[in-house]
């Protein structure tokens, strides 16, 4: 039986900005800039579809290895993006959030992100989570440390640790797991994105480069998901 419900949470690996720029003989940072525009357009067009949570991979724990110029370019785009939302937040209904270890980001960026989270926390529109300095393994490691500390302090017993407790100690605590993860630019990798949360997510891979990805592509991904069989490791008893 095909899944009929629209996914409530969609994760997006926005890949291909560099290739988009290279094809046009432009610097990579301009590809990321165009990627930020594509995200903005998509978020505004996605209102009303019924998708409640969108998590986008903006900067991974591994992305620090890129050239300094590219890293500072992406940080500048993130800063502009957060500020743009801040200027618009009173009129906009997005709830903005983050996952990832923000402590490695510049202090002003950390402050702006925290202020935007606080200012938008009661908004009822799409819950947008930006993954910044994010790695799934890093997130799980930090959750394990928090839980170990609780055991050490005598607040919980080792036998109390269960999957739910681990979920509740991740950065994404309180947000349902994504039913669908979209990856652009044709790569078949998870790249350390939402490792714990994506245990049963459906993947949708498209060859489109992220700056070219638009609302029609987003709807194609959702339609593909809605036709799939989700069995969560069990068996589908319906004879087709
Ligand atoms: C992957 O493309 C993309 C990134 C590492 C950064 C994504 C950032 C943005 C879309 C802009 C800022 C984000 C927000 C939330 C405003 P790539 O550089 O790996 O592309 P390539 O594989 O073609 O080289």
């Amino acid at each position: 039986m095909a899944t009929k419900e629209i996914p409530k949470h969609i994760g997006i690996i926005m890949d291909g900005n560099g290739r988009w720029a290279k094809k046009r003989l432009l610097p990579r940072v301009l590809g990321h800039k165009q990627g930020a525009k594509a995200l903005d357009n998509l978020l505004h067009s996605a209102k009303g579809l019924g998708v409640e949570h969108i998590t986008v991979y903006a900067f991974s724990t591994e992305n620090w290895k890129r050239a300094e110029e590219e890293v500072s370019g992406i940080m500048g785009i993130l800063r502009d993006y957060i500020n743009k939302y801040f200027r618009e937040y009173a009129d906009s209904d997005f709830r903005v959030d983050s996952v990832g270890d923000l402590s490695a980001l510049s202090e002003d960026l950390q402050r702006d992100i925290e202020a935007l989270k606080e200012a938008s926390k009661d908004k009822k529109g799409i819950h947008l989570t930006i993954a910044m300095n994010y790695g799934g393994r890093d997130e799980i490691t930090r959750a394990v440390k928090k839980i170990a500390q609780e055991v050490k302090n005598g607040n919980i017993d080792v036998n109390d640790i269960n999957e739910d407790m681990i979920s509740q100690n991740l950065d994404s605590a309180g947000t349902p797991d994504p039913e669908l993860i979209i990856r652009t630019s044709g790569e078949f990798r998870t790249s350390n994105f939402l490792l714990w949360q994506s245990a049963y997510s459906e993947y949708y891979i498209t060859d489109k480069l992220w700056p070219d990805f638009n609302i029609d592509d987003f709807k194609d991904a959702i339609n593909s998901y809605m036709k799939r069989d989700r069995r969560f490791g069990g068996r589908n008893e319906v004879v087709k």
Side-chain angles (χ1 to χ4, degrees), residues 8-201:
K8 298 265 176 271
H9 183 182
I10 300 182
I12 310 180
I13 302 176
M14 308 181 288
D15 198 8
N17 297 341
R19 272 161 282 176
W20 184 93
K22 195 173 173 200
K23 269 169 71 178
R24 290 162 180 77
L25 305 176
L26 296 169
R28 294 179 60 84
V29 174
L30 283 188
H32 297 309
K33 218 171 220 172
Q34 199 62 30
K37 271 192 199 150
L39 176 62
D40 204 31
N41 290 338
L42 181 72
L43 289 171
H44 284 94
S45 319
K47 284 181 192 172
L49 289 181
V51 178
E52 295 174 14
H53 313 269
I54 296 180
T55 300
V56 293
Y57 208 0
F59 194 86
S60 76
T61 45
E62 289 72 35
N63 286 152
W64 297 105
K65 294 182 207 144
R66 296 190 177 200
E68 203 270 325
E69 186 188 339
E70 184 173 354
V71 170
S72 62
I74 296 176
M75 289 299 158
I77 294 168
L78 280 172
R79 185 173 289 111
D80 290 349
Y81 205 76
I82 302 286
N83 287 334
K84 171 178 142 53
Y85 267 105
F86 214 93
R87 283 194 301 277
E88 290 175 359
Y89 88 89
D91 303 320
S92 133
D93 55 356
F94 291 109
R95 173 155 72 96
V96 184
D97 225 333
S98 70
V99 288
D101 183 2
L102 298 185
S103 68
L105 305 182
S106 71
E107 279 183 15
D108 63 323
L109 188 52
Q110 288 182 49
R111 207 178 36 241
D112 289 351
I113 295 163
E114 292 303 341
L116 181 56
K117 280 195 214 174
E118 178 59 28
S120 68
K121 71 179 193 304
D122 296 323
K123 299 283 182 170
K124 301 282 182 259
I126 293 176
H127 175 212
L128 168 68
T129 299
I130 307 177
M132 282 176 276
N133 190 29
Y134 177 85
R137 287 184 172 186
D138 177 66
E139 182 189 35
I140 295 168
T141 305
R142 287 184 285 106
V144 168
K145 282 185 185 168
K146 281 190 250 172
I147 295 170
Q149 191 63 51
E150 289 296 302
V151 174
K152 191 175 168 199
N153 294 347
N155 296 331
I156 53 170
D157 187 83
V158 168
N159 293 316
D160 295 336
I161 300 173
N162 56 26
E163 293 186 8
D164 202 40
M165 185 182 290
I166 295 174
S167 295
Q168 290 313 314
N169 280 280
L170 297 174
D171 301 338
S172 60
T175 304
D177 290 342
E179 296 95 330
L180 171 65
I181 294 185
I182 298 171
R183 179 163 192 151
T184 56
S185 91
E187 309 285 352
F188 287 72
R189 284 192 289 279
T190 65
S191 296
N192 209 2
F193 184 55
L194 302 181
L195 290 185
W196 177 274
Q197 301 87 334
S198 66
Y200 287 102
S201 302

